[in-house]
Amino acid sequence: AIPPESGTQMRGMDVSVYQGDVDFRAAKESGIQVVYIRAGYGDDGADPYLRQHYEGASAAGLKVGFYYYMDAESPAQARRQARRFAALVRDLPADCRPVMDYETFGDLSPSEVSAVAAAFLEETAALLGQSPMVYTGAYAAGARFAPETGAWPLWAADYGPDEPVVEANWAAWTGWQYSDQGQVPGVRGRVDLDLFTSGALLGEGEARPGGESFS
C-alpha cells in the first residue's frame, strides 16, 4: 500500500452522465468538498451532462475538476484526444488538476503505455497550462506503466483496502477512489467516492481556462 501525499485531505466524488441530475448543494451539505466531472471520452465523445454538472457544482461552491476517458493506442491518437479534452473544458474555470482516465491498455507494453500516457499528459499541460493527474486502477498503476509515469500525480482506484495497493512507480497517492458503490445525498443511485490531497488543486500561477492565471 502507498500513503497519501502530505497536506489536507478532502472528501470527493466523481460524476458523469450515469449520475444524471445531481443536487450538488445537498452533496456539499453532506460533506463533499471536491467533484470531478467527466468531460468526454475517446476520439470525439463529449459527456452530455458536462455543462449541467459543471454549473451545478460551481454554483454549490464545490471545488471542481474534469477528467477525460482516454483509450488511445498510440501517442498520436493520445495527443488528438488531449486536444479534444482541452476544447471541451478550456472555457470552464477549474479548481483541480485535469485528469487522464486511462484504464484499458490492450496489448501495449508498459513502455508503450507510458509513451501514450506521456503524449496525452504533455499535450494537456501545454494546452491548458495546468499539470494533469493520472487516474487508473491501483493494480494497473504498478503493473502496466513504466516508472517515468510516476512523475505525474496519481489518483488510484482501489476498493476495500485501507490504502491503495500500488506495487511500483508511485510512492504516494494524490487521489484515492475508495468506493464505486457510494451513496451521497443529492445523487440518485451509486456514485464513486474519493479522497483527494491538496495536491489535486491547481497551483498558484497555473493558467485557468480562457488564459487567466491564478495570482
Side-chain angles (χ1 to χ4, degrees):
I2 58 173
E5 291 180 330
S6 60
T8 304
Q9 290 186 28
M10 301 168 288
R11 289 181 58 196
M13 64 182 187
D14 51 276
V15 299
S16 70
V17 64
Y18 301 110
Q19 277 68 51
D21 296 336
V22 175
D23 182 343
F24 287 100
R25 292 189 187 278
K28 185 181 181 185
E29 289 170 2
S30 77
I32 295 294
Q33 298 162 282
V34 176
V35 59
Y36 262 96
I37 298 166
R38 187 175 74 160
Y41 52 90
D43 288 337
D44 57 8
D47 193 294
Y49 274 78
L50 168 60
R51 293 275 173 166
Q52 180 177 324
H53 284 163
Y54 172 74
E55 290 167 2
S58 297
L62 289 161
K63 296 186 183 304
V64 174
F66 303 104
Y67 72 93
Y68 194 91
Y69 183 86
M70 195 275 290
D71 61 359
E73 297 179 352
S74 70
Q77 186 181 14
R79 284 189 287 271
R80 290 195 299 272
Q81 293 192 8
R83 290 193 289 271
R84 175 63 170 163
F85 185 22
L88 288 168
V89 303
R90 66 163 40 99
D91 66 334
L92 304 176
D95 306 287
C96 303
R97 301 191 178 284
V99 168
M100 173 190 70
D101 176 353
Y102 192 11
E103 306 175 49
T104 57
F105 313 102
D107 296 325
L108 298 179
S109 69
S111 62
E112 291 169 330
V113 166
S114 285
V116 170
F120 185 96
L121 294 163
E122 291 167 3
E123 189 78 4
T124 297
L127 292 170
L128 294 178
Q130 300 167 351
S131 182
M133 182 160 59
V134 176
Y135 168 92
T136 196
Y139 173 79
R144 297 306 306 268
F145 291 84
E148 55 264 29
T149 311
W152 301 90
L154 174 67
W155 173 10
D158 205 358
Y159 315 138
D162 292 334
E163 298 282 3
V165 179
V166 177
E167 299 289 351
N169 304 323
W170 280 273
W173 57 264
T174 303
W176 175 24
Q177 185 183 86
Y178 61 88
S179 177
D180 63 351
Q181 296 292 311
Q183 292 183 293
V184 172
V187 182
R188 293 194 301 272
R190 306 294 183 178
V191 66
D192 296 335
L193 297 178
D194 308 280
L195 290 173
F196 295 102
T197 71
S198 52
L201 301 175
L202 291 171
E204 185 175 346
E206 289 193 271
R208 285 180 178 272
E212 298 178 49
S213 296
F214 289 95
S215 58

